[in-house]
Amino acid sequence: MTDKSQQDRVLIFDTTLRDGEQSPGATMTHAEKLEIAALLDEMGVDIIEAGFPIASEGDFKAVSEIARQTQDAVICGLARAQLPDIDRCWEAVKHAKKPRIHTFIGTSPLHRAIPNLDQDQMAERIHETVTHARNLCDNVQWSPMDATRTEEDYLCRVVEIAIKAGATTINIPDTVGYTAPRESADLIRMLIEKVPGADEIVFATHCHNDLGMATANSLAAVEAGARQIECTINGLGERAGNTALEEVVMALKVRNDIMPFRTEVDSTKIMNISRRVAAVSGFPVQFNKAIVGKNAFAHESGIHQDGMLKNAETFEIMRPEDVGLSATNLVMGKHSGRAALRAKLNELGFELGDNQLKDVFVRFKELADRKKEVYDDDLIALMRTATDPESDKLKLKSLKVVCGTEGPQQADIVMEIDGAEQSASKTGDGPVDAAFNAVKALVPHEARLQLYQVSAVTEGTDAQATVSVRLEEDGRIVTGQSANTDTVVASTLAYIHALNRLLMRREKTGSDRREISYKDVG
Ligand code: KIV
Ligand code: ZN
């Protein structure tokens, strides 16, 4: 690092919209990406990796618009080690107040074999592409993908080349989540000691969580001299995900006594963005997830509750308010009005336009009629039922299911499809199967059901069920979600939500997505 007065400052680089969104099924819409980027900027993230502009028209547009709208954060786009990728990336990020190009190539023996380049040819490619990026933008990040499985000598050689060619940040990815804390620290220390020019640039750490060590590896890298942590909200990301932003930020805050480093992230915004990312990505947060899990601040056992009442510090190392959890949870009932609902949803981090509020208010009233007490978690679940009355082609009008000990169960459904009502009756092996068969009779498709998940939002037999449905069609994965006190209705709505997203993606096909993978580097 050049500025010695900033030696305790750790930059937070968020890649929820790139590495996180790359996770199969976590695809976000354009509007959702803009919303998440705005929340990241507001919470004080230093760098937002907004996407991979050459991957698709959609990615390009999202990165360009995020670049235009962002006030404070650096906006970064990803590019493979190819000149057209880098040009396209620059076209998208150049609108930002603070643009950055992030270019990378796999440097380990396994990754070198993919484009079939020998060590010298790859070194030449790195020199050429980083120089090109630096001629376009004065903020360039370079990553040797799979750095933790790259020969040390070769890693030193290519890092030196990238620095000489003008890279201002060198990111050291543990692409397959293979390293461990001591090794992660040793690698950064070794690079800082051995590579000429290392003290002129920032070293970053980018860890994946395959062995559950991403947070520990990132913090170890910081202790060894890295000053940028790459991470995602809720640890979203391919396979076991990336380092979780909320974990590193809170670890540095709570254990500042032994890790004297600081970030500029406003931790009170964590819960809100965690919920939004869970909602728009369709990846629910596991209950016992550190910091943002539903149980992270719940003290159920008698001993814990007793201790907590006497002194919260007995079992709490951080306060719920520090991560933006409000103390009261009991909220509203059927007499609550629209203004109160809007205020409560704002407090929970949802900004609604007037039309959206109208739709949510109707559903809130229906829920309050069925359920005496509506809790924060109920409202969050309601918001996860993200219908879009304007663009949804498929709507559920009514559903009647006959259940009983004697099968098969039967579902009678009425749906509105492109504005016209249609009905079907189907049987199935259980009520959900019958309802899904009825939907399929009206909306024939070949998509495969990859995931069907149900969980209760609160306690009690009148609790809402939240349902996630993941469908796969020709490699495209979409997720649908819904919540209802009736599990079969919630399931059917989640299925229809996923189908609406599938139709949306089908419409975009041709111009959009995943024809180019970030792994095709050749
Ligand atoms: O995990 C990885 O190696 C990456 C690179 C593209 C930085 O995400
Ligand atoms: Zn990654």
Side-chain angles (χ1 to χ4, degrees):
M1 281 255 262
T2 34
D3 185 351
K4 301 285 177 211
S5 66
Q6 293 285 314
Q7 274 183 347
D8 64 340
R9 172 82 158 85
V10 173
L11 300 169
I12 296 294
F13 176 109
D14 182 278
T15 183
T16 305
L17 297 173
R18 198 279 298 168
D19 220 340
E21 211 249 350
Q22 220 160 269
S23 181
T27 313
M28 299 173 200
T29 65
H30 184 73
E32 288 164 350
K33 288 182 191 174
L34 298 194
E35 183 199 341
I36 299 300
L39 292 175
L40 289 168
D41 195 28
E42 212 180 286
M43 87 190 289
V45 157
D46 298 286
I47 304 116
I48 299 172
E49 188 161 52
F52 182 16
I54 197 128
S56 70
E57 256 322 289
D59 266 45
F60 180 81
K61 277 199 199 122
V63 178
S64 310
E65 231 168 296
I66 290 169
R68 284 195 177 89
Q69 80 170 17
T70 303
Q71 296 304 316
D72 296 314
V74 171
I75 297 302
C76 176
L78 184 69
R80 294 170 303 177
Q82 294 175 7
L83 304 189
D85 269 47
I86 293 170
D87 290 340
R88 189 76 175 144
C89 179
W90 174 240
E91 282 307 307
V93 296
K94 71 178 183 193
H95 308 288
K97 288 190 179 129
K98 299 182 224 164
R100 174 182 291 188
I101 296 174
H102 176 193
T103 179
F104 74 99
I105 194 161
T107 50
S108 66
L110 283 167
H111 282 263
R112 289 200 301 268
I114 301 171
N116 198 17
L117 297 177
D118 66 23
Q119 289 197 353
D120 292 339
Q121 289 166 324
M122 182 164 282
E124 180 48 41
R125 174 83 75 90
I126 293 163
H127 172 76
E128 181 196 12
T129 49
V130 176
T131 304
H132 184 68
R134 187 56 206 262
N135 285 339
L136 296 170
C137 181
D138 61 9
N139 188 339
V140 172
Q141 170 165 328
W142 180 72
S143 296
M145 186 161 75
D146 207 15
T148 53
R149 294 190 302 168
T150 301
E151 307 91 323
E152 274 191 16
D153 284 356
Y154 189 58
L155 188 61
C156 288
R157 179 178 165 201
V158 289
V159 166
E160 184 180 345
I161 289 171
I163 294 175
K164 285 205 174 117
T168 44
T169 299
I170 299 288
N171 176 39
I172 302 300
D174 182 29
T175 306
V176 290
Y178 178 68
T179 198
R182 190 162 359 115
E183 192 182 65
S184 170
D186 288 347
L187 186 59
I188 296 289
R189 206 171 289 117
M190 183 279 294
L191 288 166
I192 292 175
E193 273 166 22
K194 286 200 181 158
V195 176
D199 56 347
E200 297 300 318
I201 54 98
V202 173
F203 274 99
T205 175
H206 176 112
C207 299
H208 282 264
N209 204 30
D210 299 65
L211 292 172
M213 292 192 279
T215 296
N217 290 338
S218 304
L219 295 172
V222 166
E223 292 191 293
R227 287 294 177 271
Q228 176 177 301
I229 298 180
E230 307 211 351
C231 46
T232 59
I233 302 292
N234 299 339
L236 191 69
E238 273 193 282
R239 307 185 313 277
N242 291 60
T243 301
L245 179 145
E246 64 276 9
E247 292 178 15
V248 286
V249 165
M250 290 314 289
L252 291 178
K253 198 171 161 133
V254 174
R255 295 313 312 272
N256 200 257
D257 53 334
I258 55 163
M259 293 181 285
F261 306 102
R262 66 191 170 85
T263 75
E264 291 283 310
V265 170
D266 175 355
S267 67
T268 65
K269 307 254 193 258
I270 283 177
M271 260 341 277
N272 174 23
I273 192 161
S274 162
R275 287 176 184 136
R276 290 306 293 142
V277 168
V280 301
S281 66
F283 276 56
V285 175
Q286 90 196 41
F287 282 9
N288 57 342
K289 163 84 180 61
I291 319 293
V292 291
K294 195 168 146 76
N295 289 356
F297 291 90
H299 297 271
E300 290 260 358
S301 86
I303 297 176
H304 279 215
Q305 281 180 352
D306 190 43
M308 288 292 294
L309 288 174
K310 289 189 179 118
N311 179 356
E313 282 180 25
T314 321
F315 286 104
E316 237 172 44
I317 56 167
M318 53 199 154
R319 295 169 311 155
E321 305 89 274
D322 295 341
V323 300
L325 261 180
S326 58
T328 57
N329 187 17
L330 181 58
V331 248
M332 321 186 52
K334 63 178 174 187
H335 300 299
S336 308
R338 203 177 289 207
L341 178 67
R342 188 197 283 274
K344 186 69 206 176
L345 287 172
N346 281 352
E347 195 188 308
L348 292 173
F350 298 98
E351 301 280 342
L352 301 189
D354 288 344
N355 280 345
Q356 217 185 348
L357 181 68
K358 225 156 97 189
D359 166 57
V360 173
F361 189 66
V362 172
R363 290 190 287 126
F364 161 69
K365 283 285 173 190
E366 283 166 12
L367 177 64
D369 272 342
R370 278 180 274 130
K371 211 171 173 286
K372 277 198 297 293
E373 291 159 331
V374 179
Y375 294 86
D376 286 2
D377 284 343
D378 286 314
L379 290 180
I380 292 162
L382 197 78
M383 292 306 297
R384 283 178 64 184
T385 309
T387 53
D388 183 347
E390 319 261 284
S391 65
D392 283 353
K393 289 185 180 314
L394 313 173
K395 294 179 186 136
L396 178 67
K397 298 309 278 183
S398 74
L399 176 68
K400 204 172 267 168
V401 181
V402 181
C403 288
T405 48
E406 306 299 316
Q409 283 68 28
Q410 176 169 327
D412 302 325
I413 197 166
V414 181
M415 286 179 67
E416 190 182 302
I417 302 177
D418 272 332
E421 282 199 5
Q422 296 187 37
S423 56
S425 285
K426 283 281 162 192
T427 55
D429 193 2
V432 174
D433 192 45
F436 280 26
N437 286 341
V439 171
K440 204 167 173 184
L442 294 180
V443 189
H445 61 85
E446 293 301 319
R448 203 170 58 83
L449 184 67
Q450 271 199 340
L451 171 100
Y452 168 65
Q453 199 175 57
V454 186
S455 56
V457 175
T458 55
E459 290 88 41
T461 48
D462 68 345
Q464 290 194 89
T466 51
V467 179
S468 295
V469 165
R470 192 181 302 160
L471 299 176
E472 187 264 334
E473 183 189 69
D474 296 335
R476 272 187 302 252
I477 296 175
V478 288
T479 349
Q481 295 177 347
S482 193
N484 198 285
T485 50
D486 184 319
T487 309
V488 184
V489 173
S491 304
T492 310
L493 285 168
Y495 187 35
I496 292 174
H497 183 209
L499 286 172
N500 272 317
R501 290 191 130 182
L502 196 67
L503 295 182
M504 212 166 80
R505 287 204 79 57
R506 271 188 202 160
E507 268 175 18
K508 284 209 248 163
T509 307
S511 64
D512 216 6
R513 194 101 210 179
R514 300 304 176 231
E515 286 78 19
I516 291 178
S517 152
Y518 88 111
K519 292 188 179 110
D520 309 330
V521 191

